[in-house]
Amino acid sequence: MPISILYIVGNLDIGGTECHIVRLLPLLDRRKFNITVFCILGEGTLSYVLKNNDIQVSSPISSAIWNRSGINQKIIILINSIIVLIKYLNKNRPDIVHYFLPFPYIVGGLASLFSGVIKQRMSRRSKNKASRRLTIT
């Protein structure tokens, strides 16, 4: 039985991390991994790449609604997104939940906490030259 992995992202609009995701996920062995992507703020322009590769992409709202919303509406949308994600996690019980970037860490982390998901991973893809100068000793 394949390992189910839920990837949580803000959206799949064009960006470095988003391009990385749409290049990487289609390469994963489907016999070993069952992959789903949850987009908190709408699917975005690159979602078709994953869908064309038979990877499920879901979102509680459309990107257009998020982009047109004011601050009060966005707060309500975020609360709704967390509730939808909690319901998804409780229903589907993925083996691993993997978040990309800080915003999904927070939203996905809260939803996972309320759902009892144990195996969680966080990733941040960066070509930030400033972070190369920082060293931990």
Side-chain angles (χ1 to χ4, degrees):
M1 181 176 224
I3 297 169
S4 63
I5 304 174
L6 175 65
Y7 289 90
I8 300 177
V9 298
N11 61 40
L12 290 170
D13 281 331
I14 296 173
T17 297
E18 295 78 7
C19 289
H20 170 76
I21 290 168
V22 299
R23 287 185 192 123
L24 174 69
L25 297 187
L27 300 176
L28 297 177
D29 187 342
R30 298 303 164 64
R31 293 169 297 189
K32 295 180 182 178
F33 303 104
N34 179 19
I35 304 162
T36 302
V37 177
F38 184 91
C39 302
I40 300 164
L41 307 176
E43 292 183 3
T45 56
L46 295 174
S47 63
Y48 78 93
V49 176
L50 296 179
K51 289 178 179 181
N52 287 346
N53 283 282
D54 297 321
I55 295 173
Q56 181 182 346
V57 179
S58 64
S59 179
I61 65 160
S62 74
S63 298
I65 291 172
W66 175 259
N67 293 335
R68 289 191 315 255
S69 299
I71 186 70
N72 292 336
Q73 292 169 316
K74 286 183 178 184
I75 291 169
I76 293 168
I77 290 168
L78 285 175
I79 292 168
N80 181 62
S81 293
I82 292 170
I83 292 167
V84 169
L85 185 53
I86 289 169
K87 288 179 180 178
Y88 178 90
L89 291 169
N90 283 329
K91 179 182 177 188
N92 296 289
R93 307 304 301 172
D95 297 312
I96 299 169
V97 179
H98 191 149
Y99 321 103
F100 277 93
L101 300 174
F103 177 66
Y105 301 165
I106 295 166
V107 173
L110 284 172
S112 295
L113 177 70
F114 289 113
S115 302
V117 173
I118 295 173
K119 293 184 181 179
Q120 302 175 50
R121 300 293 177 260
M122 299 178 188
S123 295
R124 178 177 158 257
R125 182 186 175 278
S126 177
K127 290 186 175 182
N128 186 343
K129 293 179 183 177
S131 65
R132 290 186 202 144
R133 293 187 302 239
L134 300 175
T135 57
I136 298 174
T137 57

